[in-house]
Amino acid sequence: AAIPYLYDYKKDENVLAETLAWAQPNGWMWQIPTQERYGCGYVYSDNHTTYDKALDELIKNTGRNIEPIRNLKFEAGRVKNFWSKNVVAIGLASGFLEPLQATSIHSTLVQLDLFAYHYFSSDLSNIDFETSPKAYNKTIGKMWDDFRDLLQIHYITQREDSEFWKYCKYDLKKTDKVKHILEVSKHRSPSSWDFDLYHGSATWGVWCWTIYGLDIVTKETVKHTLNNYGLMGDAKKTYEKIEYTNKIKSASILKNKDFLKKSIEK
């Protein structure tokens, strides 16, 4: 379930153009800046707490006066066939996992893009309604299942301070992909070769920030990987180049509120 709410900016607050997500006793909270206010919410496990207790946790941990918009109940999952006869289920009509990583927005764009540019024809008589739906359903189905794996890895932590996090650590049934990445990460940094690459896929570039942030891959393992594959020298040069470029460019960067003001005026 989820408790969405709005939170107004403080006067003269320099709002950073970044989405935040951080763990709570029974799930996680999001905070997304817009031009006028933050959009926030708490995704919690209703198998481990109640709405009232989750709301109390939210108020206590944020120190805010919160007026929930509502208590959203959702069942995670996807349809089996996204394309059936002359109907194609897109976006929320095809499934929902949870807000983490904005997979619904991403899948909607990928589904539309793949269908429109690869399978659709202005002349309906030219559309292959036999093999095309099968191929489309296989590709999109795999994408959704891969998103499930990506979301699950976010919950694999060392936390044991609540029944929810104990459940995630010890009792949550892990997918085969998550098991693979956890095992690989004990010995080396996972690379692009550990992930399937296709249009819309969640590959190494998306996974890496999560597994490093949760210490699934340790600094020692990263150092070992760079040395073992002869990458340490190139890694240092790349880091120094990025650091230098950021120092030069950051001096002229506008504050986010000033950037938005100029953008709106134009």
Side-chain angles (χ1 to χ4, degrees), residues 35-85:
Q35 290 186 21
E36 300 177 347
R37 57 182 176 249
Y38 290 115
C40 309
Y42 182 9
V43 178
Y44 68 94
S45 169
D46 55 7
N47 284 332
H48 295 85
T49 191
T50 65
Y51 166 76
D52 291 333
K53 289 181 180 179
L55 181 57
D56 286 341
E57 291 172 3
L58 198 55
I59 294 173
K60 178 181 178 181
N61 292 336
T62 62
R64 298 170 176 174
N65 293 321
I66 295 174
E67 295 184 8
I69 298 174
R70 55 177 162 165
N71 185 35
L72 288 173
K73 294 279 189 173
F74 63 88
E75 184 175 348
R78 68 168 177 85
V79 298
K80 182 178 180 179
N81 294 315
F82 302 86
W83 181 355
S84 179
K85 298 181 180 179

Side-chain angles (χ1 to χ4, degrees), residues 25 47 55 61 73 80 109 124 134 148 158 179 209 222 245 262 264:
N47 284 332
L55 181 57
N61 292 336
K73 294 279 189 173
K80 182 178 180 179
L109 296 175
L124 298 182
K134 292 179 181 179
R148 170 204 59 194
Q158 297 302 314
K179 290 178 182 177
W209 304 111
V222 173
T245 301
K262 292 190 68 173
I264 295 172

Side-chain angles (χ1 to χ4, degrees), residues 19 22 26 28 30 41 89 107 111 113 130 159 166 168 170 174 176 183 193 195 210 226 238 240 244:
T19 293
W22 61 96
N26 291 287
W28 63 278
W30 79 83
S107 64
Q111 287 174 270
D113 186 53
E130 289 295 326
R159 290 186 60 159
K166 288 179 182 178
C168 291
Y170 297 109
K174 298 174 180 63
D176 290 339
E183 185 60 32
W193 295 102
F195 303 90
T210 303
L226 292 174
T238 301
E240 291 170 357
Y244 174 77

Side-chain angles (χ1 to χ4, degrees), residues 158-175:
Q158 297 302 314
R159 290 186 60 159
E160 296 185 36
D161 56 329
S162 70
E163 291 303 314
F164 170 73
W165 289 109
K166 288 179 182 178
Y167 165 79
C168 291
K169 183 176 181 180
Y170 297 109
D171 300 322
L172 179 65
K173 184 178 179 180
K174 298 174 180 63
T175 67

